Every structure is written in C-alpha cells, then in structure tokens.
C-alpha cells in the first residue's frame, strides 16, 4: 500500500503458499523478480543475477534459504544492506535456528499459520468452478474433506489429488470409496466436526501424557495408517522431553535410537519400534518441570526483562570495584558464591523440581544441597 518493500523471510510448512505470496508481492510492486534455490544454485548464478540488477531495484526470491552457504551470504549481504536488491527468503525450517544471524538481523521474519481445513476445501471448490471445462468430475462433499485430510493440508498435494480424481473419472460422480481406491490413502476424519490431523496428534500426546496405554496405541495406529512417519517421530520426541522429562531421562536416549531405527527400516516395520516406544513413554513416570522452567524464563524475556549481564561473568573490565569472576572448580565442592543473574532478577526462580521419578528426586536433592552450601558461605572478594 505504501510502495515500500523490505527484505523478509517467510517461514511455514510445505505447500502453505510461501512461493505464491513472494511472487504476488513481486508482481504488485512491479519489480523485476529473480529466483534462487539455495540448495542447488551456486554463487556464479547469483553473481549473474546481481549484474543484471545493479542499476535498478529487483526482488530476489530465495527458496530454501536455510541452505544458503556462508560465502554466498557474505557476497549477497552488501547488496541487501545498500538496498540494491530486496530478498524474500522461503523456508520450512525455523529461521531462528537454521539461518545465519547476519541474514536474520537484516530482514523481517513472518511465520505463516497452517491452512485451515475449511479454507482448503473452499479453495479446491473454487478451482473446480474456475476450470469447470477441464475438471468435469462430480466430487461429493466427503471427497473434498478426504482430499484435505489425505494431503495433510498441503495445497500442492491437495491440487495433485484433485487433478488425479478429475483425470481418472471425467464426467463421473466420485464418492469416498472411489477416491480412496484411486489415491490409496485411507480416509480418517471426514465429518466436519471431527478431529483434524492436528487434533489426532494432540489426542496421541495427551493419551501418553495421561498414562493411558490403550488410548495411546489406538491413536498411534491411526497415525501409522496415514503413513506420516516423520510427524509421529517429531511428536514422540517432543513428548519425551515435555511430558516425561527429568522424571525418566533415559527416554531421551531411547527416543533417539527409536527415531534412527524407524528411519532406517521405514514403515510398515517401524510400527513395532513405535509400539515399544509408545508403551514405554505412556507407562513412564512423568514430569513437565523442564518445560515449565523454560516457559517461565521465556515469559520474562517476552516481558522485556533483559537486563545487563553482571560484568564479572563476561570478564569485562570494570572501574566500579565489581568482583572478578571466580572459577567454581577452584573451590570446595566446586561451588562458589557469586552473582550470575542480572541484579534485577537476583531472586527469580524458574525451575521447581518435581518429585516424580528417582532421577529428578536426585536432582532436587542436589539442588537443595547447593542452596544449603551457598547459604553458609559468604561471597568471596
């Protein structure tokens, strides 16, 4: 609206519309638009694009920007800083973890929310209406719900399924049985008020968290039928750390072994590994103390509680008689009384130990012992 475009990164799931948004923005702003795929294109190709755009503003769409090599980033950055070129980066990876700080600090980052099932169904029906001469099959409503589910709400995948059904059944009525037979994926949540895919994953996690082994295995079976192994493994990893946590840290090693084993053998054999892992997680002692601890710390950061680090912690030269850093290993019990938190947060508590599981009870005892030692020692000068 204001004819001013800044560089930014779009972060979201596959098939959510990142490339489309970038292309539309290029057309709206009337910019010469170039594309660069960071996973396959090289520095010479980028130099060629820059040489063609150095006398006028241009838009560079960088697909898979998280894969951009450092030397390419270093070459590109001066042009971005001067405004010679505007970039729109596209990635499915969290840019705060996967993209170099030098790039992140010069762009805005926008996370795209997952597409809602109702939105995708409406889009598919609009496509059929718009291309009625070519898309002649008559799809029942439950088939549209099936497409949205079977595609995992990936628009590209949904369009491929839609095109396949119209190609196989021109001028025919297509019911759910025909759709399943053609696409070879079972339907799972076709009623409008039923669970969607994310609700199914949520029910899976909540059953494990609630220690209901039969419910956990039921939802695991529903997920296995969908053959989305990556989503199952990702959710199990989160469960291991969020819900089992320090009550039974041995599961951290087990989940890593399970992930590697499942990726090695694939489905259907992976179902056996998944069953063993889910039973173990479900019947394990539970603790969310680590999850709550980081949530508490993040809330302080989000509330703006980011105060100066004590100067002695970073070995910074001071002129205010501040104490110098004390190396804990040089002291009795490897503990020394000194200030680590910013002074504004000196009494802040983030971690509260739970009393579930032998390991966290040991951590609690260790924490209590540390506090007891510190309470009897004076700060060293």
């Amino acid at each position: 609206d204001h004819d001013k475009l800044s560089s930014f990164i779009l972060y979201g799931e596959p098939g959510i519309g990142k490339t489309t948004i970038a292309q539309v923005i290029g057309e709206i702003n009337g910019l010469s638009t170039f594309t660069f795929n960071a996973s396959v294109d090289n520095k010479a190709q980028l130099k060629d694009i820059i040489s063609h755009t150095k006398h006028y503003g241009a838009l560079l769409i960088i697909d898979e920007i998280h894969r951009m090599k450092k030397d390419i980033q270093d070459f590109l950055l001066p042009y971005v800083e001067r405004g010679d070129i505007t970039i729109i980066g596209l990635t499915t990876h969290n840019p705060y973890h996967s993209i170099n700080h030098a790039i992140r600090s010069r762009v805005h980052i926008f996370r795209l929310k997952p597409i809602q099932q109702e939105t995708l169904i409406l889009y598919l029906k609009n496509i059929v209406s718009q291309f009625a001469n070519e898309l002649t099959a008559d799809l029942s409503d439950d088939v549209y719900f099936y497409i949205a589910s079977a595609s995992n709400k990936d628009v590209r995948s949904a369009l491929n399924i839609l095109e396949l059904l119209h190609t196989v059944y021109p001028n025919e009525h297509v019911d759910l049985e025909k759709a399943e037979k053609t696409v070879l994926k079972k339907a799972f949540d076709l009623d409008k008020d039923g669970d969607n895919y994310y609700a199914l994953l949520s029910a899976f996690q909540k059953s494990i968290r609630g220690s209901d082994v039969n419910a956990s295995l039921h939802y695991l079976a529903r997920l296995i039928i969908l053959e989305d192994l990556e989503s199952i493994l990702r959710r199990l990893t989160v469960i291991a750390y969020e819900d089992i946590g320090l009550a039974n840290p041995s599961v951290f090693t087990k989940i890593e072994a399970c992930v590697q084993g499942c990726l090695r053998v694939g489905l259907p054999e992976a179902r056996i590994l998944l069953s063993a892992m889910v039973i173990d997680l479900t019947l394990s002692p539970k603790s969310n103390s680590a999850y709550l601890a980081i949530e508490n710390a993040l809330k302080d950061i989000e509330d703006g509680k980011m105060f100066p680090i004590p100067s002695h912690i970073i070995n910074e030269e001071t002129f205010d008689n501040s104490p110098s850093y004390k190396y804990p290993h040089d002291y009795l019990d490897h503990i020394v009384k000194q200030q680590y938190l910013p002074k504004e947060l000196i009494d802040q508590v983030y971690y509260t130990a739970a009393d579930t599981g032998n390991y966290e009870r040991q951590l609690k005892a260790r924490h209590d012992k540390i506090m007891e030692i510190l309470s009897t020692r004076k700060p060293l000068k």
Side-chain angles (χ1 to χ4, degrees), residues 155-203:
V155 177
R156 274 192 303 266
S157 176
L159 288 173
N160 287 337
I161 294 173
L162 182 74
E163 184 178 20
L164 175 64
L165 294 176
H166 281 276
T167 301
V168 175
Y169 302 107
N171 300 303
E172 292 184 42
H173 176 72
V174 180
D175 58 16
L176 181 56
E177 184 180 353
K178 283 183 177 179
E180 283 188 340
K181 180 181 177 181
T182 306
V183 180
L184 300 179
K185 284 188 179 182
K186 295 293 290 182
F188 66 107
D189 52 350
L190 301 178
D191 60 299
K192 293 184 180 180
D193 299 318
D195 294 341
N196 59 30
Y197 188 63
Y198 296 97
L200 179 56
L201 285 168
S202 178

Side-chain angles (χ1 to χ4, degrees), residues 47-67:
K47 284 183 176 180
D48 187 52
I49 292 172
I50 297 294
S51 68
H52 283 86
T53 63
K54 60 185 177 182
H55 298 302
Y56 58 88
L59 174 67
L60 177 64
I61 299 173
I62 306 175
D63 200 12
E64 298 194 75
I65 191 172
H66 59 277
R67 296 183 183 275

